[in-house]
Amino acid sequence: MKFTLSWLKDHLDTDADVAAVADAMTMAGLEVEDVHDPIAALAPFTVAKIVSAERHPNADRLQVCQVDTVDGRKEIVCGAPNARAGLTTIYAPIGAYVPGLDVTLVEKPVRGVVSHGMLCSASELELADESDGILELADDLTVGTPAAGVFGAEPVIDFEVTPNRADWLGVAGIARDLAAASLGQLKTPSVTPVPGTFPSPIRVRIEAPEMCPVFAGRLIRGVKNGPSPEWLQRRLTAIGLRSINRLVDVTNLVAYDRCRPLHVYDAAKLVGSEIVVRGGQLSEGAEGIAAGTHEHLIALDGKTYTVDPSMCVIADAAGERPIGLGGVMGGESTGCSDDTVDVFVECAWFEPLVTAQTGRTLTLTSDAQYRFARGVDPAFVIPGLELATRLILDLCGGEPSEIVVAGEAPANPAPFAFDPARVGALTGLSLDEDRIAEILTRLGFEVARGAPWTVTPPSWRRDVEGPADLVEEVARIEGYGELPSTPLPDLGAPSKGVLNPRQARVRTARRALAAMGYAEAVTWSFTKQSTAALFGGGDRRLVVENPIAADLDCMRPSALPNLIQAAARNADRGHPDVALFEIGPIYLDDSPTGQRTVIAGLVAPRSARHWGGGAEDALFALKGDLTTLLDELGAPTASLQLVQGQNRDWWHPGRSARLQLGPKNVMVEFGALHPRVLKALDADAPMLAFEIVLDAVPEPRGKATKARGAATLPPLMPLRRDFAFVMEEGRATGDLVRAVANADKALIADVRVFDVYRGAGVPGGMKSVALEVVVQPREATLTEAEIEALSAKVVAAAGKAGATLRG
């Protein structure tokens, strides 16, 4: 919802500037999203007059203009086709930021002639989307007049409206709350009835009161449509609405000013003399239309919508032809144009749930639907019609009929008992009863003071249902900043639970994975028997005799199938790039010892628009996450053996491995999942995963870890040396990295692989691995001889790992 400061001041007598208004709104519970002040953006720009315009000596399409500006006469190069002597336009000086071009002007030659500023178009000042040339202003404007004053620029406040506060969708409702918050005096003008001069020839009949309880309208004949006056165009344009014509602009103005959506029909295009409000209908097979076919409506947006019986339809021709969707949008067949002479003005109240569901079903949102779905004021149906009538008569002329009304507006909210002491009990605010009554009265509530009070909510506050709602109203108007800061009572030190080692490690793993960006999944310990068979399970002894569902008939042999299916469901809903983990049991046979606790993780690296290397990079990232997690669990990562080619069938044979402490203690399996398995589970490749058997991870030796001491930061800068080693293709690069890192633990701080090369210069069956060795001196700067000695240690350590220095 947007509104300008001047629009607000039509309803609120206040001297507050836009910053004070935004602050008051925030403290009253209105979430201000943005305050746009075009006056500041237009501050450098002023009115100027072109004295002469001569063709540029070096360019046929450029002109060299002599321009009278606020800074004196300036020579400016201009390429606009309409630049001419005597034209009044807008001047930008050197140093000004031009928002439409996103540039700051500098003094530089243009084809050999220095331009000392710029003459601006509407698009360059972001006053229009497109421009054919520079602005052409009235000749009576004085040179140096600020552009903001010329264009009537003013601050605009944009704020978010909560679903329960439809009254905030009108500027009058915002003014009411700000007046209650003591920012000014409310001065919203009352609506004066406009007497009709003849009976309305158009009647209204409601066949679906559950969708539209009340419908009012009147005919205005002899109107003259056309472009709206400048003040109305500016008011709508300032908040992002496009001015269409006087009749349509009036409906938009009333919708934003009083939260009262309306619709105007061209009376000459209506068929018959009756408007019918009903639900959507199905065809009975007449005129070549198949029976049971839904009727259609071509709406004002030019799109055709299929109408079903759950939607409210406005129809003419004795109810046969749809001409609008109640509370959502009118039809193209009865829309107004500049040729419209007679109009029928509609002002109704449509059921919020029906209107909201219609918008969701048709994926159609309009200003009217947005307001009706939240519940506009049912008591403002007739006043809203009177207000629109007065505006149409003022802008378009014409003669109004008497008002026709069908149905009855919903009853106003019922009164309820309220104890003002609840304010202090629930909020801690110390307010006397007079102040509480003053706030509620200013907000439109009727307060009958007694024991207890009886409070009646206004017709526009159907969201207020009980005393707690009134307490909230008082608190937000008084100001949330006034709430007292009271510390909680000291209840003594809370008792601390004692976790066994496994529980502590599960908690550590959960926190570590969440910190790395994984989302925890909680899935069943069951799966489908055919799915279990894909992961080495499906044994009859693990089949559940009385499953809770047909596809959960077997104890799971792995946590991965459930994670794969969860990732596939996310992908089906538009979120293919997920990272999930689960900590829970798996079942390998029917014996008690066959149950294991695992930590399983899965990544679906499908960030399609990412510039990186995709799944290959993701595999190394997965290994890094796995190593980090094992370190957090206290696993002996330095002693783990990386073994490839021995994983089970559900792993990709060329892109998976296991980590083990000897052949009998396999701690982890990780890598890419086999495409065959993913296809069987209706999931798209690639997917990468790991599964840690928590029972196989040795617990750290010793007792509780001592508190970490103060950091000892080295005073000397590190140095880096690059080495390229040639080694057999089948040897693990990680073994080389570990060997080099152990060459001198006191000086070598880190070893990183930055390149692996195969090709010319490297023998077949071999690879060249480039390492960056980070050396951190501790006591003194290393001499050249010491660096050479360290390099020799690195080469020797690499030789023991089966690598030789590349020549």
Side-chain angles (χ1 to χ4, degrees):
M1 172 68 185
K2 296 180 180 179
F3 64 93
T4 61
L5 185 60
S6 65
W7 197 340
L8 175 69
K9 290 185 176 181
D10 286 349
H11 297 272
L12 185 69
D13 187 5
T14 179
D15 295 328
D17 59 13
V18 66
V21 170
D23 289 343
M25 290 175 64
T26 300
M27 294 310 298
L30 289 85
E31 183 181 349
V32 176
E33 291 191 333
D34 181 49
V35 178
H36 176 61
D37 190 357
I39 297 176
L42 293 175
F45 304 93
T46 54
V47 172
K49 186 179 289 292
I50 300 176
V51 178
S52 66
E54 304 292 339
R55 194 172 73 177
H56 194 291
N58 301 320
D60 292 339
R61 296 187 178 182
L62 298 178
Q63 298 186 75
V64 179
C65 303
Q66 302 299 322
V67 185
D68 283 344
T69 73
V70 70
D71 301 321
R73 183 158 296 183
K74 298 286 184 179
E75 186 173 72
I76 298 175
V77 179
C78 181
N82 62 332
R84 62 186 183 274
L87 177 65
T88 303
T89 186
I90 293 296
Y91 156 74
I94 297 298
Y97 173 75
V98 183
L101 300 177
D102 192 25
V103 297
T104 299
L105 299 182
V106 295
E107 191 174 285
K108 64 178 182 179
V110 180
R111 294 288 186 92
V113 178
V114 176
S115 183
H116 300 278
M118 178 180 176
L119 302 179
C120 301
S121 68
S123 61
E124 288 162 347
L125 297 181
E126 294 188 335
L127 300 175
D129 294 333
E130 297 180 357
S131 299
D132 294 330
I134 58 176
L135 285 158
E136 298 191 19
L137 305 178
D139 293 335
D140 58 352
L141 288 173
T142 305
V143 171
T145 302
V150 174
F151 302 116
E154 58 177 319
V156 177
I157 297 178
D158 184 5
F159 72 100
E160 187 68 28
V161 179
T162 55
N164 65 314
R165 293 304 304 269
D167 58 308
W168 283 347
L169 290 169
V171 179
I174 304 165
R176 184 188 302 112
D177 275 27
L178 293 178
S182 302
L183 193 70
Q185 292 295 320
L186 189 66
K187 62 172 186 177
T188 298
S190 59
V191 178
T192 303
V194 179
T197 59
F198 61 94
S200 173
I202 299 175
R203 303 183 305 277
V204 177
R205 175 163 52 91
I206 297 177
E207 293 183 354
E210 71 282 3
M211 296 180 175
C212 176
V214 60
F215 189 110
R218 78 188 324 166
L219 182 76
I220 304 178
R221 62 190 182 192
V223 300
K224 184 177 180 181
N225 202 9
S228 295
E230 185 178 354
W231 70 266
L232 181 52
Q233 292 188 37
R234 283 187 177 181
R235 175 152 291 186
L236 298 179
T237 303
I239 62 173
L241 295 180
R242 181 172 60 91
S243 176
I244 299 174
N245 55 51
R246 296 173 194 169
L247 292 171
V248 176
D249 289 354
V250 163
T251 64
N252 286 332
L253 177 67
V254 177
Y256 276 79
D257 188 72
R258 302 294 184 97
C259 188
R260 168 31 64 186
L262 304 131
H263 187 65
V264 180
Y265 302 91
D266 188 330
K269 299 177 182 178
L270 293 173
V271 178
S273 60
E274 185 178 49
I275 288 179
V276 179
V277 184
R278 58 171 173 79
Q281 293 181 349
L282 299 175
S283 172
E284 297 180 357
E287 299 181 4
I289 302 176
T293 303
H294 289 285
E295 58 186 348
H296 294 79
L297 172 73
I298 301 177
L300 286 172
D301 60 2
K303 298 179 181 179
T304 300
Y305 296 96
T306 301
V307 182
D308 65 45
S310 68
M311 302 175 186
C312 182
V313 171
I314 312 299
D316 64 359
E320 291 299 323
R321 183 183 71 149
I323 60 173
L325 290 170
V328 180
M329 187 173 289
E332 188 178 76
S333 61
T334 56
C336 294
S337 67
D338 289 349
D339 299 327
T340 298
V341 176
D342 298 337
V343 296
F344 186 79
V345 185
E346 165 204 301
C347 191
W349 193 87
F350 297 98
E351 171 58 42
L353 292 179
V354 173
T355 310
Q357 185 58 51
T358 300
R360 283 193 293 267
T361 302
L362 301 178
T363 63
L364 173 59
T365 301
S366 63
D367 286 339
Q369 189 267 350
Y370 189 75
R371 284 163 172 77
F372 278 122
R374 282 157 174 74
V376 301
D377 183 5
F380 202 71
V381 172
I382 301 300
L385 182 58
E386 299 279 18
L387 178 60
T389 301
R390 173 51 59 195
L391 288 169
I392 291 174
L393 295 180
D394 291 344
L395 298 179
C396 307
E399 182 182 9
S401 75
E402 297 173 352
I403 294 175
V404 292
V405 181
E408 185 177 350
N412 288 336
F416 54 83
F418 175 64
D419 183 358
R422 292 287 301 276
V423 174
L426 293 181
T427 68
L429 290 170
S430 298
L431 300 178
D432 57 40
E433 293 188 357
D434 290 340
R435 175 57 178 159
I436 296 172
E438 177 188 9
I439 291 174
L440 295 177
T441 302
R442 285 188 175 187
L443 291 174
F445 294 86
E446 294 182 8
V447 179
R449 300 172 69 166
W453 292 5
T454 299
V455 178
T456 305
S459 58
W460 59 84
R461 291 302 306 273
R462 307 178 74 84
D463 60 303
V464 176
E465 299 177 345
D469 296 326
L470 296 181
V471 172
E472 181 182 0
E473 294 299 299
V474 172
R476 70 179 185 85
I477 295 300
E478 183 66 17
Y480 292 123
E482 300 298 322
L483 294 176
S485 300
T486 304
L488 294 173
D490 184 6
L491 301 178
S495 59
K496 297 181 179 180
V498 178
L499 301 179
N500 62 37
R502 173 175 292 193
Q503 291 172 328
R505 299 176 84 181
V506 166
R507 174 181 287 185
T508 299
R510 183 175 285 114
R511 291 178 175 176
L513 286 167
M516 288 187 279
Y518 288 74
E520 184 172 10
V522 180
T523 68
W524 296 104
S525 295
F526 315 104
T527 188
K528 198 174 182 179
Q529 189 174 0
S530 59
T531 300
L534 296 173
F535 290 82
D539 191 295
R540 291 295 306 173
R541 292 173 296 178
L542 292 178
V543 173
V544 180
E545 291 185 0
N546 186 23
I548 60 175
D551 57 349
L552 297 174
D553 59 349
C554 184
M555 306 300 291
R556 65 181 184 185
S558 168
L560 295 179
N562 289 352
L563 291 182
I564 293 170
Q565 292 170 325
R569 287 192 295 271
N570 277 273
D572 292 342
R573 289 160 176 79
H575 302 282
D577 192 15
V578 299
L580 305 173
F581 79 92
E582 181 175 11
I583 304 176
I586 62 172
Y587 306 89
L588 303 181
D589 53 45
D590 61 348
S591 66
T593 58
Q595 179 175 325
R596 301 279 164 62
T597 300
V598 298
I599 305 172
L602 180 139
V603 175
R606 270 184 294 282
S607 185
R609 299 179 64 88
H610 197 276
W611 56 266
E616 194 66 35
D617 288 346
L619 182 57
F620 288 107
L622 180 81
K623 182 183 176 185
D625 292 345
L626 181 57
T627 303
T628 301
L629 176 59
L630 291 173
D631 285 336
E632 291 286 336
L633 294 176
T637 52
S639 303
L640 291 177
Q641 300 170 349
L642 179 69
V643 180
Q644 293 179 271
Q646 297 186 19
N647 276 17
R648 290 173 282 191
D649 294 342
W650 54 92
W651 297 101
H652 194 296
R655 302 184 63 237
S656 61
R658 58 169 55 174
L659 296 174
Q660 61 186 37
L661 288 171
K664 294 185 178 180
N665 187 2
V666 179
M667 287 174 43
V668 185
E669 289 186 346
F670 73 97
L673 291 162
H674 202 292
R676 170 183 55 81
V677 173
L678 296 178
K679 183 177 181 181
L681 296 179
D682 199 22
D684 294 330
M687 285 191 182
L688 313 175
F690 63 80
E691 196 166 46
I692 304 172
V693 181
L694 189 59
D695 310 79
V697 180
E699 295 182 5
R701 296 180 180 179
K703 297 182 179 180
T705 305
K706 295 182 179 179
R708 181 179 297 176
T712 55
L713 302 178
L716 303 173
M717 291 290 294
L719 58 100
R720 291 169 171 80
R721 287 292 183 270
D722 294 345
F723 298 85
F725 295 103
V726 177
M727 59 190 302
E728 294 179 3
E729 184 70 52
R731 286 185 176 270
T733 303
D735 295 339
L736 174 62
V737 172
R738 281 192 293 270
V740 171
N742 291 328
D744 191 327
K745 294 182 179 181
L747 288 177
I748 296 177
D750 194 13
V751 179
R752 305 187 187 100
V753 178
F754 67 87
D755 186 40
V756 178
Y757 172 74
R758 304 169 182 86
V762 177
M766 307 292 282
K767 60 183 176 183
S768 173
V769 180
L771 303 180
E772 180 189 54
V773 179
V774 181
V775 180
Q776 178 61 67
R778 300 289 179 178
E779 303 295 336
T781 303
L782 298 179
T783 64
E784 193 66 32
E786 290 172 328
I787 296 174
E788 291 298 327
L790 178 62
S791 299
K793 288 183 180 180
V794 169
V795 173
K800 293 180 180 180
T804 59
L805 190 66
R806 183 179 173 186

